[in-house]
Each structure stands twice: as C-alpha cells, then as structure tokens.
Amino acid sequence: MVASGRPPHKTDEPVNPPIVLSSTFYSLGESTAGEKVYGRFTNPTWDPLEETIAKLEDSQLPALAYASGMAAVAAGLSLIPVGGTIVIPRHAYNGSLALVAELEKTLNLTVRRVELADTHATLKAFDGADVAWLESPTNPMLEVADLPALLAGAKEQGVLSIVDNTFSTPLLQRPLQHGADVVVHSATKYMGGHSDVVLGAVVTRSPDLRAKLHGMRTLHGAVPGPFEAWLTLRGIRTMALRLEKAEANARELARRLSEHPAISKVRYPGLETDPGYQRAKSQMDGFGSILCIEITGGAQAADEMLARLELWTPATSLGGVESLAERRRRHTGEPESVPENLVRLSVGIENVNDLFADLDLALKSS
Ligand SMILES: Cc1ncc(COP(=O)(O)O)c(C=O)c1O
C-alpha cells in the first residue's frame, strides 16, 4: 500500500503520482481502445488508486472508482435484473437499504430481508434469488455474518454475491477470496481516513462484470474528481497504521465501557462476550474500530450525552482519524429494530485515556 501506485523509479520521476486536472485529452481521428479521450471515461489520477484497491482486495483487475460509496452501491445494485429477487440483511447501511426499497418499487423486485447472522435462514433465502447483498459487520448493529459459508452457498446456488466491505476494509477481510463476485466500498471512510473526501469503489475478479460495470460507470457518469482520487490513495498509504491504532483504542474502550453504569449494552465483535466474537475471530484479521453503546435513560439521555462531548465530535460517518459519535436512530431511514438509545462510536487514533475520559464525563453528567 505504501509503495503501490507510484511512478517508476527513474531520474526526475515524482515520488507521488501527479493529479491530472483535465476534463478532456488530445485525441484525433477515430478513437481507439485504451485512448483516454474524455474525463468521464478515464483520468490518469484514477489508475494508481484503482490498481491499489484491487491489490488490497486481491483482484488482478483494476478496481473502479466512483463519485461516492453510494454510487458504488448503486453500481452493484444495477446488476439486479428487472423483476429479480435480492436477499439483503435487515440491518445494513441505511442508504443501501433505502436504495433497495426504491428499486423494489421501480424494478418490481422481490426483496428478502434476513437476519444475516442466522446462516441457515440466509442460505435458505438464497433459493431462487438473483443477488445476495452482504455486509459484515453490519452497520450499525455490528452483527457478524458467516461470510465464507454464505459466499460458498451463494456460489453453489448461482446467486450473484455483492459484499459491502466498508466496515472491515480489505485489511481485515477480503470477500473475493471467499468467492464473492463483487465488493463495494465507501472509500470515504477508512481508505480516505481523514473525513475530507467522498469516494467509492467496486472490485471484482470477473472480466465480464468489470466490463459491464465500467460501461455503466461511463454512461451513468458517477465518476470521482481527480483530487478526490489522489487524496484517497494518499489516505490508503497510512490505512494499516491508522486502523491498528484505532482498533487498539476500540478494544480498550469496549472493555472499559462494558463496566460503565450509564451504559446498558456494548456491541463490539472484539469483546469475548459478543455474539459475533468467535465468527469474527475465525474469519477476520481484526475486529475493527466501530463499537456501539446503548445509553441507560434512552434517546434523550443519549442526545444529551453527545452534546456534552468535547474531544469526540457528534457527527455521522466513520473511519477517520478523529473519533465520531452518533445516535443512529436520529435518521428517519434507520430500521426501527435499531435501538433508539444506540450510539455508534467510530473510534479514531487519539489517546485512549483522553477518549475514555471525555465519554465518561459526558455519561456521568446524565
Ligand atoms: C457501510 C457503508 N456503505 C456505503 C456507504 C455510503 O458511502 P458514501 O457516504 O461514501 O456515499 C456508507 C456510508 O456511511 C456506509 O457506512
């Protein structure tokens, strides 16, 4: 990741790839395959990023970068045929759930909503389906899916599998290695890593699927700006370090917060008592840096606690160097089965004692 996507080792070559700020390219006569032509078709700044994301996800084919994670999600969902059947988790990123609900009407889809942690029920729901949409751990309930079993099952039953790997990052899990057909990312989160860029990515090992997605990206036009692509590659270079520190903080916070009297429940797959612990341990290379807490006293107590935070920022999003906290049910689109008092913590790389002290103070005053 540190070395990937850099210019060749030659005199006077820059160490970093340049940002190419051009919407069009010199092009004369009939355009040929591989010619750049126009900034919606390609931009040289995307290339090192797409190559690097592909390496991370273990694909020989370059990833495809998009204008946002949702553009990547929409690209994945565009693979569903009209009138098709999709299996989705009951809990997942609410934007993905909302888009599926929209497509349910406009494409006349059959949507099977499943408890993703229930492998037996999910495999059963695959029967006759066209697409399996998977996310693990889920946002924000942090349920852990048995990805190896589900992806093998999808393959066996001829179901196209798409995994949103945003929460885990390819450092913790690589779904293509378990047979996933497509992986999508909100690179806005851990890849960018500094809450200063919005970008998405799709990766596949299938030349046919890539060609189809590439063609649609060009026609739909949800392409990233060159500066965003450059920033994301820069972010990826430090992702391993950031994630290591953030996860160490998250583990320690999960442990301390489990004993906090103002918290009724801590959800974190890295806690040995968590229902997803064994599964996460066996299939992931770490537990990530998102944890959720449920505040005694309900939604109002949670909102008041958030307003008192000083080091943590109450804000949506996740995966940046700075710690963010959010009560998810403040969004009307969040499923009602997500508890009202659930606060999602995206743990950053600050000093863990400072992070705990800030939370502790805000919780104590409630
Ligand atoms: C798991 C997951 N997937 C996709 C998205 C959408 O990404 P973006 O906000 O970059 O469009 C998000 C955003 O929060 C997310 O958490």
Side-chain angles (χ1 to χ4, degrees):
M1 277 185 303
V2 176
S4 174
R6 294 198 186 273
H9 285 179
K10 278 207 245 150
T11 304
D12 289 343
E13 282 287 341
V15 168
N16 288 302
I19 304 178
V20 178
L21 291 171
S22 188
S23 63
T24 190
F25 301 91
Y26 182 94
S27 158
L28 193 66
E30 199 178 326
S31 63
T32 52
E35 244 190 273
K36 293 186 180 55
V37 183
Y38 186 54
R40 179 162 43 78
F41 305 170
T42 190
N43 180 298
T45 323
W46 302 345
D47 299 343
L49 171 68
E50 294 182 334
E51 195 186 300
T52 303
I53 296 176
K55 276 188 202 155
L56 283 166
E57 284 291 1
D58 198 12
S59 171
Q60 303 289 325
L61 301 175
L64 289 161
Y66 287 82
S68 66
M70 272 314 289
V73 167
L77 289 174
S78 71
L79 297 169
I80 304 174
V82 174
T85 297
I86 180 171
V87 178
I88 59 163
R90 186 145 73 98
H91 301 120
Y93 172 55
N94 64 25
S96 309
L97 296 181
L99 185 53
V100 169
E102 189 60 32
L103 297 176
E104 188 172 7
K105 291 180 260 164
T106 55
L107 295 185
N108 195 24
L109 298 184
T110 300
V111 181
R112 296 181 187 156
R113 295 175 173 86
V114 293
E115 298 296 338
L116 198 61
D118 184 341
T119 309
H120 180 71
T122 306
L123 285 172
K124 229 171 123 188
F126 285 174
D127 186 28
D130 297 286
V131 170
W133 186 270
L134 307 173
E135 188 182 295
S136 181
T138 59
N139 182 5
M141 298 289 266
L142 301 176
E143 297 130 328
V144 181
D146 187 341
L147 276 190
L150 294 180
L151 291 170
K155 185 137 282 182
E156 230 173 77
Q157 299 190 53
V159 180
L160 184 90
S161 55
I162 307 178
V163 181
D164 184 334
N165 206 25
T166 302
F167 260 44
S168 296
T169 84
L171 297 178
L172 304 189
Q173 103 191 336
R174 289 160 299 281
L176 296 179
Q177 292 177 343
H178 297 293
D181 294 302
V182 177
V183 167
V184 305
H185 277 282
S186 168
T188 310
K189 318 296 181 196
Y190 288 98
M191 290 191 184
H194 297 76
S195 305
D196 54 8
V197 61
V198 174
L199 190 136
V202 174
V203 202
T204 177
R205 286 179 176 175
S206 154
D208 287 350
L209 282 175
R210 191 186 182 281
K212 197 167 169 182
L213 289 161
H214 187 201
M216 284 191 293
R217 183 183 68 174
T218 301
L219 292 175
H220 291 175
V223 294
F227 190 52
E228 281 73 11
W230 188 90
L231 270 179
T232 305
L233 179 60
R234 187 173 75 159
I236 287 176
R237 303 219 184 281
T238 56
M239 184 163 65
L241 283 175
R242 287 186 280 104
L243 195 57
E244 195 180 317
K245 170 73 176 164
E247 179 175 330
N249 281 352
R251 287 170 91 141
E252 180 57 19
L253 287 177
R255 192 187 63 75
R256 292 194 203 177
L257 293 170
S258 301
E259 288 156 15
H260 203 287
I263 292 177
S264 54
K265 184 168 184 161
V266 175
R267 294 169 191 262
Y268 182 61
L271 276 178
E272 283 185 31
T273 48
D274 192 88
Y277 174 75
Q278 285 303 340
R279 211 174 256 176
K281 195 171 169 222
S282 73
Q283 70 188 32
M284 295 171 72
D285 295 325
F287 299 103
S289 64
I290 311 284
L291 60 112
C292 289
I293 52 177
E294 292 173 24
I295 311 294
T296 321
Q300 197 185 333
D303 283 341
E304 286 167 7
M305 183 282 283
L306 289 168
R308 281 191 291 267
L309 290 170
E310 289 188 6
L311 177 58
W312 294 74
T313 304
T316 197
S317 203
L318 55 107
V321 288
E322 67 295 302
S323 294
L324 305 180
E326 182 186 39
R327 190 173 69 79
R328 287 300 287 174
R329 282 292 298 282
R330 78 194 179 97
H331 300 289
T332 46
E334 201 66 38
E336 281 180 13
S337 42
V338 172
E340 279 275 12
N341 61 342
L342 179 145
V343 172
R344 187 182 70 191
L345 301 177
S346 170
V347 181
I349 63 169
E350 301 92 336
N351 178 290
V352 71
N353 292 326
D354 295 346
L355 287 173
F356 181 74
D358 194 36
L359 278 174
D360 188 38
L361 200 64
L363 285 163
K364 272 196 178 127
S365 326
S366 54

